[in-house]
Amino acid sequence: MFFQIASDGWKGSSSKGHTAFLGSEEGLVNLTVNLPNGTSVYRRAVFTGAGQQVPSKYAEEVLWETITDTCGSAVQQCVGIVADRFKSKALRNLENQNHWMVNLSCQYQGFNSLIKDFYRELPLFKNVAEKLS
């Protein structure tokens, strides 16, 4: 069976030109397995320390460990990773090492931010949204 790994709780940051990740406000990264039938199954959570810098390499290791813990040596069952607010370095490295994978930054975060910007900046959008509430 094929699956996809999803993770959330990573926040991108750049420290003096070096790529790093900051854990979420709670310092917790959640990892789930998305199955082809649309079901998401909780896999694990990793405590990163609230606001602590997490190197890209560590994020890459956590993602890879989650894949191998899920499917053992049949790693080609994992078709990709979706991650929120993620700098692309860890995803890109995993994709380069495993050519069958298609790794994506979550589009939901970008779309959600766009809607919030519309609401803040466009009076018409705000009026319509308030009338629908």
Side-chain angles (χ1 to χ4, degrees):
M1 177 182 353
F2 294 98
F3 65 91
Q4 176 186 63
I5 297 291
S7 69
D8 67 0
W10 303 103
K11 284 188 178 180
S13 176
S14 182
S15 175
K16 296 181 185 175
H18 296 94
T19 302
F21 300 98
L22 292 177
S24 67
E25 292 175 8
E26 299 83 24
L28 196 62
V29 175
N30 296 302
L31 296 125
T32 57
V33 175
N34 296 332
L35 302 175
N37 67 0
T39 304
S40 292
V41 180
Y42 171 80
R43 180 68 184 131
R44 69 189 272 206
V46 177
F47 183 71
T48 59
Q52 298 294 313
Q53 286 199 3
V54 179
S56 172
K57 187 67 176 165
Y58 177 73
E60 185 179 331
E61 289 169 3
V62 166
L63 292 167
W64 185 249
E65 184 179 287
T66 303
I67 292 168
T68 57
D69 286 350
T70 302
C71 64
S73 62
V75 293
Q76 290 186 334
Q77 290 178 334
C78 180
V79 295
I81 301 168
V82 175
D84 74 327
R85 301 181 72 177
F86 214 87
K87 297 221 182 212
S88 61
K89 185 175 180 181
L91 294 177
R92 188 174 52 246
N93 287 346
L94 285 168
E95 192 171 284
N96 287 337
Q97 295 165 15
N98 307 287
H99 298 286
W100 67 89
M101 283 187 177
V102 177
N103 299 331
L104 305 168
S105 296
C106 183
Q107 298 302 311
Y108 169 77
Q109 185 65 41
F111 181 72
N112 195 31
S113 295
L114 180 64
I115 296 298
K116 286 179 182 177
D117 287 347
F118 282 167
Y119 185 81
R120 268 194 315 267
E121 302 295 329
L122 299 173
L124 177 62
F125 194 85
K126 185 175 183 175
N127 290 339
V128 170
E130 287 173 353
K131 288 179 182 178
L132 293 173
S133 302

